[in-house]
């Protein structure tokens, strides 16, 4: 009896741990994972430093929120076009070039910060250009995962990729708060520049990933083709709509510097920025259970609604430690939503459309936070900081509930029986059998 209990306990522990199958099977996955971990850490340094610099130079919550406004147009234009480029060009080449471009922008921020009187306009210019580069890179990166990871391992790859992001999201803001306070903005921007350089070196040896022979060239017609496919898949539309509502209505990042001031806890700013990724990190560490969940749409809806409730509670309490805890809970809910959204996308979208659909996905999970900065900053100027956070969370939960009622295809999605998932699974199985028959071409 004791041995049986011990075996059950050991099985339960192992089932919670992250599934490392993609890491073990693919050298290219490992390289991308490590390069992303490093560059994400640096990016989060700038993520904290840039709004702090705007706050110091302007003293305006609206000015900080306006960063989202200047990022919006490049995000929309280059997100859609970047998706078409990802389908038509070599994905690895796009990733390398955009990563190098991000490094040059970090160099620009460093030069501006070292001036005797730093200007405000370069901060907005770099934000806009960075938005354009990220919008080109992300569809290429997201559409590369299904090529280097086995079909059944894609949920695990999504969890591991999110884990990589959250490690940077926890460590970056926490370190950034100290660096900005004690060393200065220049050190934060300089460290970001160094991480991009290392990332490029790591990505270069990855195998080329040319366009699929079925893929259309980049054009408005090819973008429209991707949009028509997305419109035909109501369960995919549901994932886009839920995430857009959650991020637009409840993302509080633009007002965190002012929330820390209002709670008389300036020391907590770095922790506030780190709390949401910390909650996401915790979920990533115990993400093994996600492999046993098959109704992905329901999990997307439930976790997005809980995200809104946690953010609303964070706006209602006056104790800074409770705020940090609730932000971490919200981050955990966001991670659950992200894992199951990515699984639905990666397991059901054909390879020849993957880049264009990744561009649409980019809009769903990036336009929301970008517009959310404008919303939270504007509402904070109108109603106050805590009211902006609390009201946004409640609006998010209500909107997600309404979307769940309007999108039954999302709520009924089951990856075991979905026709699109079954078709792609069979295709990947046939491709794997063909490659096995031809013999190994690349070590893992």
């Amino acid at each position: 009896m004791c041995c049986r209990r011990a075996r059950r306990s050991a099985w339960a522990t192992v089932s919670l741990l992250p599934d490392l199958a993609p890491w073990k099977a693919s050298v290219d996955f490992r390289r991308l994972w490590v390069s992303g971990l490093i560059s994400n850490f640096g990016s989060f340094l700038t993520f904290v430093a840039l709004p702090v610099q705007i706050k110091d130079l302007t003293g305006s919550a609206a000015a900080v929120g306006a960063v989202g406004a200047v990022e919006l147009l490049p995000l929309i234009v280059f997100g859609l076009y970047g998706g078409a480029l990802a389908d038509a060009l070599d994905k690895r080449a796009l990733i390398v070039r955009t990563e190098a471009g991000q490094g040059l922008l970090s160099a620009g921020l460093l030069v501006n910060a070292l001036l005797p009187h730093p200007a405000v306009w370069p901060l907005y210019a770099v934000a806009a250009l960075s938005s354009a580069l990220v919008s080109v890179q992300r569809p290429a990166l997201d559409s590369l995962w299904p090529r280097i990871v086995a079909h059944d391992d894609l949920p695990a790859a999504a969890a591991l990729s999110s884990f990589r992001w959250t490690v940077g999201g926890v460590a970056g803001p926490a370190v950034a708060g100290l660096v900005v306070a004690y060393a200065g903005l220049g050190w934060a921007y300089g460290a970001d520049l160094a991480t991009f350089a290392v990332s490029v070196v790591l990505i270069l040896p990855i195998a080329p990933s040319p366009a699929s022979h079925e893929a259309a060239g980049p054009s408005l017609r090819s973008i429209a083709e991707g949009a028509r496919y997305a419109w035909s898949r109501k369960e995919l539309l549901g994932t886009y709509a839920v995430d857009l509502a959650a991020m637009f209505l409840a993302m509080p990042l633009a007002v965190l510097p002012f929330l820390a001031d209002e709670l008389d806890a300036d020391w907590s700013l770095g922790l506030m920025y780190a709390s949401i990724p910390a909650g996401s990190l915790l979920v990533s560490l115990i993400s093994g259970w996600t492999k046993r969940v098959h109704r992905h749409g329901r999990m997307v809806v439930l976790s997005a609604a809980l995200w809104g409730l946690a953010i609303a509670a964070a706006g209602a309490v006056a104790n800074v430690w409770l705020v940090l805890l609730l932000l971490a809970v919200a981050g955990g809910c966001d991670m659950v939503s992200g894992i199951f959204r990515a699984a639905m996308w990666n397991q059901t979208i054909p390879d020849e459309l993957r880049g264009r659909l990744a561009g649409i996905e980019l809009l769903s999970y990036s336009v929301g936070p970008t517009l959310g900065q404008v919303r939270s900053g504007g509402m904070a100027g109108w109603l106050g900081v805590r009211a902006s956070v609390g009201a946004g969370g409640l609006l998010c939960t209500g909107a997600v509930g309404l979307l769940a009622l309007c999108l039954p295809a999302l709520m009924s999605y089951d990856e075991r029986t979905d026709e699109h998932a079954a078709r792609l699974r069979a295709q990947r199985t046939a491709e794997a059998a063909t490659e096995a028959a031809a013999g190994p071409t690349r070590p893992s």
Side-chain angles (χ1 to χ4, degrees):
M1 179 67 70
C2 292
C3 292
R4 190 178 301 122
R5 288 177 180 172
R7 285 196 298 270
R8 282 201 298 265
S9 176
W11 180 87
T13 301
V14 171
S15 67
L16 287 176
L17 295 176
D19 185 353
L20 300 179
W23 175 275
K24 296 175 181 177
S26 172
V27 64
D28 286 346
F29 180 86
R30 293 195 294 272
R31 284 188 173 275
L32 280 174
W33 194 93
V34 174
S35 71
L37 176 67
I38 294 170
S39 66
N40 284 341
F41 173 80
S43 295
F44 274 107
L45 293 176
T46 295
F47 181 74
V48 173
L50 192 141
V52 168
Q53 188 173 18
I54 294 177
K55 173 180 174 286
D56 291 343
L57 293 175
T58 67
S60 168
V64 176
V67 171
V70 302
E71 292 175 338
L72 181 59
L73 183 59
L75 189 62
I76 295 173
V77 173
F78 288 94
L80 292 173
Y81 191 67
L85 286 174
D87 280 336
L89 303 177
D90 186 287
K91 295 173 176 51
R92 187 206 62 174
L94 278 177
I95 294 169
V96 170
R97 291 168 185 170
T98 51
E99 194 81 352
Q102 289 276 66
L104 292 177
L105 294 180
S106 296
L109 289 174
L110 174 60
V111 171
N112 183 62
L114 295 177
L115 294 175
H117 302 287
V120 175
W121 70 263
L123 306 180
Y124 291 108
V126 167
L129 291 171
S130 178
S131 177
L133 288 174
V134 169
S135 299
V136 171
Q137 183 185 81
R138 286 302 294 268
L141 184 60
D142 290 347
S143 60
L144 184 58
W145 295 124
R147 288 192 173 189
I148 62 177
V149 175
H151 181 85
D152 290 341
D153 291 336
L154 286 170
L160 290 173
S161 299
S162 299
F163 173 78
R164 171 200 65 179
W165 180 86
T166 54
V167 168
V170 172
V175 173
L178 297 174
V179 171
V180 171
Y182 296 104
L185 293 162
W187 283 95
Y189 295 141
D192 191 15
L193 171 59
T195 61
F196 279 120
V198 174
S199 177
V200 168
V201 171
L202 287 169
I203 295 172
L204 283 173
I206 290 175
S209 183
S212 169
H213 66 277
E214 297 94 351
S219 65
L220 291 177
R221 178 177 296 179
S222 67
I223 293 172
E225 181 186 359
R228 284 194 298 270
Y229 178 83
W231 182 257
S232 72
R233 298 278 308 279
K234 302 308 180 190
E235 71 280 14
L236 290 184
L237 286 180
T239 65
Y240 304 150
V242 166
D243 191 48
L244 184 64
M247 296 297 102
F248 169 61
L249 294 170
M251 179 57 76
L253 297 182
V255 298
L256 290 185
F258 301 90
L259 181 60
D261 287 347
E262 192 163 309
L263 295 175
D264 295 321
D266 293 345
W267 54 267
S268 69
L269 178 59
L271 295 177
M272 285 186 181
Y273 278 115
S275 290
I276 292 177
S280 299
L281 177 61
L282 178 60
V283 169
S284 298
L285 290 172
I286 58 171
S287 60
W289 62 271
T290 61
K291 196 170 186 176
R292 302 192 301 276
V293 177
H294 305 289
R295 295 187 176 273
H296 298 164
R298 294 184 182 183
M299 292 302 296
V300 170
V301 169
L302 176 62
S303 53
L306 292 176
W307 150 271
L309 289 176
I311 293 296
V317 301
N319 182 284
V320 66
W321 293 108
L322 282 177
V323 170
L324 294 172
L325 175 62
L326 288 164
L327 290 176
V329 170
C333 295
D334 184 50
M335 173 58 69
V336 173
S337 176
I339 289 173
F340 288 108
R341 289 197 315 271
M344 289 179 67
W345 298 337
N346 290 334
Q347 289 186 325
T348 65
I349 297 172
D351 183 73
E352 65 271 15
L353 289 166
R354 192 68 190 87
R356 281 163 285 175
L357 270 292
I360 296 174
E361 293 156 20
L362 174 69
L363 297 185
S364 77
Y365 60 69
S366 297
V367 169
T370 302
L371 287 175
Q373 292 187 69
V374 180
R375 180 213 63 83
S376 60
M379 189 175 284
W382 177 37
L383 298 176
V385 173
R386 291 173 61 192
S388 171
V389 176
L394 293 177
L395 288 171
C396 163
T397 301
V400 169
L402 183 61
L403 286 169
L405 293 175
C406 296
L407 294 165
L410 176 63
M411 298 298 290
S412 63
Y413 175 86
D414 189 325
E415 59 95 13
R416 295 168 297 185
T417 57
D418 179 76
E419 60 175 310
H420 304 284
R423 185 182 304 117
L424 201 58
R425 185 182 298 112
Q427 178 184 337
R428 293 294 302 276
T429 300
E431 291 173 352
T434 301
E435 291 176 2
T441 59
R442 184 173 176 84
S444 63

